Amino acid sequence: MSGKEVEGAAVPAQSRSSWTSFLKSIASFNGDLSSLTAPPFILSTTSLVEFSSYWAEHPSLFVAPASSSDPAERALLVLKWFLSTLKQQYASRSEKLGSEKKPLNPFLGELFLGKWEDEAGTTQLISEQVSHHPPVTAYSIWNDKHGVRLTGYNAQKASFSRTINVKQIGHAVLHIDEYNEDYLITLPALHIEGLITGSPYVELERSSYITSSSGYTAKIDYSGKGWISGKKNSFTASLYPHDKTEKDSIYTIDGQWTDTWQVKKGKAKDVTVVDTYDAKTSKTTPLYVAPLEEQDNMESRKAWSKVAAAIQKGDMDSTSREKSAIENEQREMRRVEKEEGREWVRRYFARTEDYPVFSTLAPRVAEAIDSDKTNGVWKFDAEKVHTAKASA
């Protein structure tokens, strides 16, 4: 075993025993891993409800598909935007913090609101925890200037088999107003590498898809560094018409989603590199979030502010006390609702039995709705946003 593989090598000396105990508890645990208590040094001060913002930290790439009149190029631009989000969604935390951290588990009704302002105009985000058992986050991101909007929801089912494996349940739909065009986006599975050394990071696996109402499908295959060969965070992607297969791709993309990748057109000796993307140098646009004093009590950073402050100080007694206060308040709310025979009313989302975009496009990529695993199918209600603004 090399020095980098020594158990707990990256764990602070004072925390190695707790890390070893944590690994043993994971290996023997039968249930939802999110409920396990992690060692203090691996705890995040950020709630999972904030992770929706990773979809649009490059607003110009998010809106770019609306600028093309060619459906094949639009499909390529949607694929390029999606690939640009992967580093933010799955690697930015471990790169910034030194390892992947265990996020705070959102409470029912928790909100995260923000916006990006740049050359693409204003891009807005609403993220809401629509279910606690099972945990489900729904989100809507839109840019009115360019007529591009993304809605979706997801749950995560974690299990242990040599490492932590996470199946993401749910989907996202990107809509372009100008062409009345929809793109169904499925979510990749993932697992956690680096557990033994105490430096966890995410590796994507298997495949995910983007399939459109305009007649194109993209398949993304993920792979990582194996025992003998391969590079971390590798992928290959193929874009092809619905009446063809991935062997008849009009574009292919390959590289590392945390590093550089190339867009290619043509086959065999006639392959041409038409674009190159460098995830390491691509600048993100900061998300504006209202100051804590201006936030609603249900907004994530205000609700968890005392917990986050305690985690930053390393004060686990206060962390536990403040977390328990929030959890106990939530349990009491659920008890009262049950007694009164009512359910918590979601502020911006609602369950729906009508999901025509999914029903039309999902069969092309053999995607199931799995509504029993997400406590329903969740739809964004734009009217609630207008009502909230009017009453503000």
Side-chain angles (χ1 to χ4, degrees):
M1 184 177 284
S2 69
K4 290 186 177 180
E5 294 171 329
V6 172
E7 183 170 339
V11 178
Q14 67 272 23
S15 302
R16 285 180 184 168
S17 61
S18 63
W19 181 247
T20 300
S21 298
F22 180 57
L23 291 181
K24 290 178 179 177
S25 66
I26 291 175
S28 60
F29 188 72
N30 183 19
D32 184 359
L33 290 177
S34 66
S35 64
L36 281 177
T37 301
F41 77 92
I42 208 72
L43 294 179
S44 171
T45 59
T46 302
S47 169
L48 195 61
V49 79
E50 289 199 29
F51 285 22
S52 304
S53 65
Y54 295 132
W55 282 107
E57 293 197 323
H58 298 101
S60 293
L61 292 178
F62 175 66
V63 304
S67 65
S68 175
S69 59
D70 177 60
E73 185 178 2
R74 287 198 298 276
L76 175 63
L77 289 170
V78 170
L79 175 57
K80 180 181 177 182
W81 156 73
F82 172 78
L83 294 172
S84 77
T85 72
L86 297 179
K87 182 175 186 290
Q88 299 310 119
Q89 296 204 53
Y90 302 109
S92 60
R93 296 175 301 279
S94 59
E95 290 183 355
K96 179 181 178 182
L97 303 172
S99 72
E100 185 69 24
K101 303 292 185 180
K102 184 180 185 295
L104 297 167
N105 296 325
F107 55 83
L108 180 61
E110 185 175 333
L111 301 170
F112 185 63
L113 314 176
K115 62 182 178 180
W116 297 268
E117 298 275 5
D118 63 2
E119 63 273 11
T122 300
T123 304
Q124 300 188 72
L125 162 71
I126 290 179
S127 181
E128 180 174 3
Q129 193 70 7
V130 292
S131 176
H132 188 62
H133 296 295
V136 181
T137 306
Y139 49 86
S140 181
I141 300 170
W142 70 97
N143 183 299
D144 286 332
K145 177 181 176 181
H146 295 273
V148 178
R149 56 201 75 248
L150 178 79
T151 59
Y153 62 94
N154 70 281
Q156 296 184 334
K157 182 66 176 178
S159 60
F160 185 85
S161 177
R162 294 192 296 273
T163 186
I164 297 174
N165 302 286
V166 180
K167 180 183 179 182
Q168 299 197 91
I169 306 164
H171 63 274
V173 173
L174 182 79
H175 181 81
I176 303 174
D177 290 348
E178 177 72 17
Y179 303 100
N180 192 27
E181 196 168 78
D182 293 298
Y183 295 79
L184 174 66
I185 302 165
T186 70
L187 308 175
L190 58 96
H191 65 270
I192 307 298
E193 294 280 1
L195 280 177
I196 295 298
T197 62
S199 297
Y201 69 90
V202 170
E203 187 66 88
L204 303 181
E205 60 185 27
R206 298 197 281 271
S207 303
S208 69
Y209 294 87
I210 305 173
T211 188
S212 73
S213 61
S214 62
Y216 295 90
T217 293
K219 181 185 180 186
I220 306 102
D221 294 310
Y222 306 96
S223 61
K225 186 176 181 180
W227 288 103
I228 299 174
S229 63
K231 292 183 178 180
K232 178 181 175 182
N233 308 143
S234 297
F235 76 93
T236 59
S238 302
L239 178 67
Y240 50 93
H242 284 172
D243 59 351
K244 305 287 185 179
T245 68
E246 58 187 293
K247 295 180 181 178
D248 304 300
S249 303
I250 54 176
Y251 292 101
T252 59
I253 306 178
D254 57 50
Q256 293 170 274
W257 48 266
T258 48
D259 203 324
T260 58
W261 38 267
Q262 293 183 324
V263 182
K264 302 172 183 177
K265 188 174 184 179
K267 297 180 180 179
K269 295 180 181 179
D270 295 325
V271 171
T272 303
V273 176
V274 296
D275 196 7
T276 298
Y277 182 84
D278 189 339
K280 295 180 299 183
T281 60
S282 181
K283 300 290 186 183
T284 59
T285 298
L287 176 70
Y288 171 78
V289 179
L292 290 186
E293 62 271 16
E294 297 177 16
Q295 291 184 20
D296 185 278
N297 288 335
M298 298 295 284
E299 289 190 57
S300 185
R301 292 185 183 177
K302 184 171 185 176
W304 291 105
S305 59
K306 292 180 180 179
V307 174
I311 291 174
Q312 288 176 330
K313 292 177 182 176
D315 183 347
M316 298 319 295
D317 288 338
S318 294
T319 298
S320 179
R321 183 173 61 254
E322 297 297 343
K323 271 182 90 273
S324 294
I326 293 173
E327 291 161 355
N328 290 336
E329 181 182 16
Q330 288 293 308
R331 290 190 191 98
E332 177 62 16
M333 291 171 69
R334 302 292 85 79
R335 185 191 66 78
V336 172
E337 289 164 4
K338 186 175 181 180
E339 281 187 357
E340 298 178 354
R342 58 184 176 87
E343 184 182 27
W344 175 265
V345 178
R346 282 71 177 176
R347 191 172 299 190
Y348 296 107
F349 295 84
R351 288 189 191 88
T352 181
E353 299 294 328
D354 183 28
Y355 34 91
V357 173
F358 183 92
S359 299
T360 300
L361 297 178
R364 292 194 173 277
V365 293
E367 182 77 358
I369 196 70
D370 283 337
S371 57
D372 58 321
K373 298 175 183 176
T374 55
N375 199 11
V377 176
W378 298 95
K379 183 178 181 180
F380 180 62
D381 189 343
E383 280 302 313
K384 291 185 177 181
V385 179
H386 300 312
T387 301
K389 288 182 178 178
S391 60

